[in-house]
Amino acid sequence: MTRTRAAVRRTSAVGLALAACVTAAPALASATTTPAAARGGATPAPGPGLDRFYDQRLDWRGCVLGPDDETGRALAKAGARCADVTVPVDYSDPGGRTMTVAISRIKATDTRHRVGPLLLNGGGPGGPSIGDAPDIHRAMKDVAARYDIIGVDPRFVGRSDPLDCGWPVSSAVFSAGTGRAGFDRQVALHKDLAARCRATNKSVLPFVTTRDTARDMDVIRGALGERKISYLGYSYGTYLGTVYTQMFPGRHDRVVLDGAIDPRRYQPRLLRGAEPENDRALSDWAAWAARRHDTYGLGRTRAQVLAAVDRTVEASARGLTVGTAPDTFRLDDTTVPTLLVMGIADDTDEARAAFGEQVSVLVKAAQGQPTRLSPEFTAALRSYVTGKDSHYGSVQTAILCGDSAAPRDPERYWRDIERSRAAHPVMGPLTNNITPCAFWDRPREEPTQVRRDAPALLVGATGDPRATYEGTVGLRDLLPSSRLITLKGANRHGIYGFYGNACVDANVNTYLATGKLPGKDLTCVRQHG
């Protein structure tokens, strides 16, 4: 799960095969940053054989990779520099193959009051975060001057040595459809997706995990020459941050977890159990659209809009064609529900308007009318139902499958789908659907258990349809010394710095500035109309 923005950003696979990127251990980069071991004082000792990774010197350079590199230009404008951190593919074999993890840095300017590095993860899993530093720098306002803000593309993601299974689709998140025939097609699809990953990347799949990403984070800490890191994570990034606190206690300073996941509920079917929140978010959007019937033509009441959505899902079982040549797309009852879920995780007027235009297109297509797609909807469909962004779906799935074992029997998924369908006819067949993890090799490590308290500032919206508020409260209970900022009344995933809630932003920035958690849990209120 990746936090929501006005425009969804995904990084396509780099044009290098994984086999060419993961090599025998090379000489580490030339020196421009003094390593931890050279700075004096006691620093946490790395594991056996890992000293050369922790003590490596980073070669900071410009971030622009070419004339079309918008991320690089934004980083350059913000004054960022970029580097590659060399890490072992397999931490149990530090003398074996290595790979690189790409990072960016906007350095602190208030060196007198400098706190240290703040590492970022925007979610996914599998989402790139190297380009997030400028946005977070703006969100932090004056506090940003006290931090080195570090964007990170985690292992196998984005500018780091990439993983791509060569999928014909860019995502593995589909609905089971309206009946058994659709589910059977899904079983065949996900079995094929898993086989493609195994055929092309079998030697590295065991190491595409959250625990190994957390190990990389600690190597980054060492390579930066720091005793501790601070951390800001959204969505899946909250799980990664929690895992880091458990694996490396004492090596973290200030931790903010926004849209937090209860680690006990983390599993390959990430949205399972979030059906009520998704139904509520769709219903709230329907009420919004009903007040704008003259614009979207979907109905003048909430019930009428929801009925139009239901009819569209039913019609999609026969297939829908949207768009005009050359940008036409064939959709069905396994893809349309996912488009609905993708559209309801942001309740700002801008996001709801974009979703309203998309639903209008789907309704017209279901009625057999010609449709015209906006450039944004065209890009979203191209990313979702084609193999354009195969890298993103490949690495997201590999992380989920590598972190936690999934049920193997397709009939178990079908029973879950049928049980959920009556109460949640649109959401249930999606959240309970089979995934490639049913056909994946078993994870090499057990999931991380939260057994240590860790002071962190949690942020959660009561109507979050991705990482449910109940899950955020669950993490709060696991970390007794943490504090929770609750945003009431928002159907939104990812709040701090991107939603425009002054109460949340101010309280997070106060914590980042002082290092002191609030004395008690806090409540903020949604400010949008």
Side-chain angles (χ1 to χ4, degrees), residues 12-29:
S12 299
V14 180
L16 293 175
L18 183 68
C21 297
V22 180
T23 62
L28 299 179

Side-chain angles (χ1 to χ4, degrees), residues 49 64 86 182 320 355:
V64 180
T86 302
L320 304 179
F355 185 48

Side-chain angles (χ1 to χ4, degrees), residues 172-187 190 313 317 332-338 384 410 413-418 421 425-434:
V173 181
F174 294 93
S175 172
T178 55
R180 181 71 196 213
F183 174 71
D184 289 342
R185 292 195 303 272
Q186 284 292 296
V187 172
H190 291 292
V313 173
D332 63 17
D333 56 341
T334 69
T335 51
V336 168
T338 307
Y384 173 52
Y413 295 89
W414 178 245
R415 290 192 296 269
D416 291 342
I417 290 163
E418 289 295 273
R421 193 190 299 274
V426 175
M427 302 301 170
L430 186 153
T431 59
N432 290 278
N433 194 24
I434 198 166

Side-chain angles (χ1 to χ4, degrees), residues 125-460:
S129 293
I130 196 170
D132 290 348
D135 290 336
I136 299 303
H137 192 275
R138 285 188 290 271
M140 292 173 68
K141 300 181 179 178
D142 293 344
V143 184
R146 301 178 57 191
Y147 286 86
D148 290 347
I149 302 176
I150 310 293
V152 182
D153 278 359
R155 57 171 44 210
F156 299 110
V157 172
R159 297 188 183 199
S160 300
D161 287 343
L163 180 142
D164 191 345
C165 298
W167 283 357
V169 292
S170 296
S171 172
V173 181
F174 294 93
S175 172
T178 55
R180 181 71 196 213
F183 174 71
D184 289 342
R185 292 195 303 272
Q186 284 292 296
V187 172
L189 169 66
H190 291 292
K191 187 175 183 179
D192 175 66
L193 295 180
R196 289 172 184 258
C197 272
R198 189 178 295 108
T200 56
N201 299 285
K202 183 176 177 62
S203 67
V204 298
L205 287 181
F207 314 108
V208 193
T209 70
T210 298
R211 288 179 64 84
D212 280 325
T213 300
R215 293 178 176 112
D216 294 344
M217 287 171 55
D218 204 56
V219 169
I220 293 170
R221 176 195 61 76
L224 292 172
E226 302 289 345
R227 285 184 46 78
K228 293 184 178 184
I229 56 173
S230 294
Y231 180 80
L232 169 61
Y234 296 83
S235 191
Y236 160 80
T238 68
Y239 178 70
L240 171 61
T242 302
V243 169
Y244 184 82
T245 68
Q246 301 303 299
M247 292 179 67
F248 299 99
R251 303 186 192 182
H252 52 86
D253 187 3
R254 301 166 199 190
V255 176
V256 180
L257 306 176
D258 189 321
I261 297 172
D262 185 336
R264 295 166 296 190
R265 298 187 178 189
Y266 177 80
Q267 53 149 327
R269 292 186 284 179
L270 267 180
L271 289 177
R272 189 165 186 241
E275 297 88 2
E277 288 80 3
N278 279 275
D279 285 344
R280 190 178 310 120
L282 182 61
S283 179
D284 288 349
W285 168 82
W288 181 94
R291 296 193 295 271
R292 296 160 178 82
H293 173 73
D294 292 342
T295 300
Y296 304 108
L298 299 173
R300 296 189 180 279
T301 67
R302 182 198 308 254
Q304 289 174 349
V305 175
L306 291 174
V309 170
D310 289 341
R311 288 193 298 271
T312 300
V313 173
E314 292 171 5
S316 69
R318 300 184 293 275
L320 304 179
T321 300
V322 298
T324 55
D327 293 314
T328 58
F329 302 90
R330 187 70 173 171
L331 307 175
D332 63 17
D333 56 341
T334 69
T335 51
V336 168
T338 307
L339 295 174
L340 298 176
V341 169
M342 289 166 62
I344 57 176
D346 186 345
D347 63 4
T348 60
D349 283 343
E350 179 185 9
R352 283 179 162 175
F355 185 48
E357 293 173 1
Q358 294 174 12
V359 174
S360 294
V361 166
L362 297 175
V363 168
K364 288 178 181 178
Q367 296 170 346
Q369 300 180 36
T371 57
R372 184 177 299 274
L373 307 180
S374 68
E376 293 77 17
F377 197 19
T378 298
L381 288 171
R382 189 178 294 123
S383 176
Y384 173 52
V385 300
T386 75
K388 173 181 175 292
D389 287 336
S390 166
H391 159 64
Y392 180 88
S394 299
V395 71
Q396 179 178 72
T397 301
I399 293 169
L400 291 170
C401 301
D403 281 348
S404 180
R408 314 293 281 185
D409 183 6
E411 293 305 315
R412 176 171 173 179
Y413 295 89
W414 178 245
R415 290 192 296 269
D416 291 342
I417 290 163
E418 289 295 273
R419 279 194 293 265
S420 181
R421 193 190 299 274
H424 310 286
V426 175
M427 302 301 170
L430 186 153
T431 59
N432 290 278
N433 194 24
I434 198 166
T435 77
C437 300
F439 309 100
W440 218 261
D441 293 340
R442 292 290 182 177
R444 68 184 179 90
E445 293 187 88
E446 291 295 320
T448 302
Q449 302 296 316
V450 177
R451 295 190 173 95
R452 301 175 184 272
D453 191 11
L457 183 61
L458 313 183
V459 181

Side-chain angles (χ1 to χ4, degrees), residues 3-17:
R3 73 166 175 274
T4 303
R5 294 197 186 191
V8 176
R9 300 184 319 182
R10 286 185 177 173
T11 301
S12 299
V14 180
L16 293 175

Side-chain angles (χ1 to χ4, degrees), residues 496-529:
Y496 169 68
F498 296 99
Y499 192 55
N501 186 274
C503 174
V504 170
D505 291 354
N507 279 290
V508 171
N509 283 339
T510 296
Y511 167 62
L512 291 173
T514 64
K516 296 180 180 179
L517 289 166
K520 61 180 181 179
D521 292 343
L522 304 174
T523 299
C524 297
V525 179
R526 179 178 183 267
Q527 297 167 321
H528 299 284

